[in-house]
Amino acid sequence: LLCHRWLQLIGDVSYSLYLIHWPIVCLVKQFDVDNERMKLAAMLFAVGLSILCHFCYEQWYLTLSTNATFVLVAVLYALSITAILRRTAYGVDEQTTAAK
């Protein structure tokens, strides 16, 4: 049973799908999508994007050396901190809170 290619692909892609599906679910909720076809399209988009991320990022990432992984993680942390600081500096959090 576990030697079927489709089951192996689902297992390989499952972590990417786990990470990617939630932002898409939040966008669907934010835009108050009631159309079942749009929800299905969003779900298929999440699956497709997960497959793309698995083959274009995860497999590449797993081949990196320890030093390259450290540099990648440091860059990603720096980008995250920069995004948070910019968001706070421009008052985006206050605007979204005041709008609600």
Side-chain angles (χ1 to χ4, degrees), residues 5-62:
R5 290 181 59 134
W6 286 103
L7 292 176
Q8 289 176 349
L9 179 64
I10 290 170
D12 290 342
V13 173
S14 64
Y15 185 67
S16 292
L17 183 60
Y18 167 74
L19 294 176
I20 289 172
H21 87 282
W22 190 246
I24 294 173
V25 167
C26 290
L27 283 173
V28 167
K29 285 187 177 189
Q30 182 177 359
F31 289 111
D32 199 25
V33 176
D34 288 331
N35 186 343
E36 295 300 320
R37 286 186 179 176
M38 289 300 291
K39 289 180 181 178
L40 178 63
M43 184 175 64
L44 292 175
F45 177 73
V47 171
L49 188 59
S50 298
I51 292 170
L52 183 69
C53 285
H54 172 71
F55 287 111
C56 294
Y57 179 74
E58 272 189 64
Q59 287 187 343
W60 166 77
Y61 171 78
L62 293 173

